[in-house]
Amino acid sequence: MTFPDVQRDRPLTAAEVHAFLRSPSLVAHRMQELTDLSFVTDYLLRGSASATGTGSVMVEEDDLLFLDDTPEVVAPGAEYPSFVSREVLANLIAVNKRGFKFELTDEKISRTPGDELRRILTLASNTMIKSVDELSRAVLASKITTTYTGAAWTGASAAQSIIRDTLKACAEIEKLERGYRASSVILTPTAYAEVSAALINANALPRESGNPLLQGAVSFQYLGLDWVKSMYSPFTKPTIVDADNLGGVVSEDIGSPDYAKAGPIEVKTRRTDRDSHEITVRRIAVPYVTGPKAAIQITGTGL
């Protein structure tokens, strides 16, 4: 009789943990691995703006993705017609710094070196993800009001309802003629489980070979869309989004020399006189929404 190997990495010694914690760059890269693809903020809001050097940035609000005029036939040697883009409302967004620090004592490192390091970095990553994504949740909830009334996504006809409602909600976004194209379906963990099971049961997704859910994936592709599960989903209902045009994140690089950065998170480490390592974690960013019509929530699903 054999058991699965649950030891992912070679156990670290206390000396190795101390050496690791003396390098902010190594800690930052480890934090990035733990948060990779976890920030729903960065998945949903793919635009970006830099507030470096100013602390704020002007962001234009939602507008049609087309000019008012249409291209004209141009005769040989003739001038091309001049188009003038319309003025749109812009908001001034000030960036802010979010962060915290914690200590890892020599006693904890000595007693359970690798386990304690993994535990504390995981807690720190989850805390930062939760904080930033909850901020995005509030911004998105205040901006996105468009809904589509669907049918129950449970029961014998669940798969049929899921497919029909999703395609119709996508059409609602596209018929606005703003150039939007649905890219993703955002689901809570419970809704993700119900949808996955319904599609597999109806043979809409393969049961075994080729089934993306067999390895515990947090997303899969179907109907030309990415179906994504998020623990901190900003939507309580299944929501269709054009993630490329929904909004973005304003960030700022304040150039602190003692911080290391890997991905969106910055990390600083310091040896204290209290027999411990102090680790500071921060992210300088503010989410914004420019295209609230690029998302639509599906109601009536029962999820």
Side-chain angles (χ1 to χ4, degrees), residues 42-217:
D42 298 310
Y43 180 84
L44 285 175
L45 304 172
R46 300 180 185 179
S48 62
S50 175
T52 300
T54 62
S56 61
V57 67
M58 295 294 292
V59 176
E60 294 182 347
E61 288 194 355
D62 182 36
D63 190 36
L64 294 175
L65 300 183
F66 307 98
L67 295 170
D68 289 329
D69 302 299
T70 57
E72 301 175 7
V73 174
V74 180
E79 289 285 342
Y80 283 84
S82 296
F83 288 178
V84 178
S85 61
R86 67 180 67 80
E87 293 295 325
V88 297
L89 183 63
N91 292 322
L92 179 65
I93 298 178
V95 73
N96 55 44
K97 180 170 58 180
R98 291 171 170 263
F100 54 90
K101 64 182 179 181
F102 56 92
E103 289 190 19
L104 188 54
T105 64
D106 291 353
E107 286 83 357
K108 288 186 176 180
I109 293 174
S110 175
R111 294 161 187 165
T112 54
D115 289 344
E116 186 61 27
L117 178 65
R118 185 182 301 110
R119 185 189 73 84
I120 200 70
L121 291 184
T122 299
L123 288 174
S125 299
N126 289 343
T127 300
M128 182 58 73
I129 292 169
K130 185 173 184 290
S131 174
V132 174
D133 283 351
E134 284 185 343
L135 177 61
S136 297
R137 178 187 301 175
V139 173
L140 289 163
S142 67
K143 293 282 189 178
I144 296 172
T145 58
T146 306
T147 61
Y148 171 81
T149 304
W153 285 19
T154 57
S157 59
Q160 180 180 349
S161 297
I162 291 169
I163 295 170
R164 180 183 62 249
D165 292 343
T166 299
L167 293 177
K168 286 189 174 182
C170 289
E172 290 294 317
I173 291 177
E174 294 169 3
K175 77 179 185 181
L176 294 173
E177 295 188 355
R178 292 175 177 264
Y180 297 148
R181 185 175 297 277
S183 63
S184 309
V185 185
I186 311 301
L187 302 166
T188 63
T190 300
Y192 185 85
E194 291 283 356
V195 168
S196 302
L199 294 178
I200 293 173
N201 188 54
N203 293 318
L205 290 177
R207 291 177 178 271
E208 297 178 3
S209 179
N211 186 330
L213 304 174
L214 290 178
Q215 302 302 320

Side-chain angles (χ1 to χ4, degrees), residues 186-255:
I186 311 301
L187 302 166
T188 63
T190 300
Y192 185 85
E194 291 283 356
V195 168
S196 302
L199 294 178
I200 293 173
N201 188 54
N203 293 318
L205 290 177
R207 291 177 178 271
E208 297 178 3
S209 179
N211 186 330
L213 304 174
L214 290 178
Q215 302 302 320
V218 297
S219 68
F220 63 90
Q221 288 192 329
Y222 184 61
L223 300 177
L225 301 167
D226 293 323
W227 298 67
V228 181
K229 172 179 66 174
S230 173
M231 183 181 302
Y232 306 117
S233 172
F235 314 111
T236 58
K237 305 175 183 65
T239 302
I240 313 293
V241 301
D242 176 352
D244 292 321
N245 291 297
L246 184 60
V249 178
V250 178
S251 60
E252 181 181 13
D253 182 0
I254 61 177

Side-chain angles (χ1 to χ4, degrees), residues 31-54:
M31 293 281 288
Q32 170 62 12
E33 291 175 0
L34 291 171
T35 60
D36 192 27
L37 299 180
S38 296
F39 280 106
V40 72
T41 294
D42 298 310
Y43 180 84
L44 285 175
L45 304 172
R46 300 180 185 179
S48 62
S50 175
T52 300
T54 62

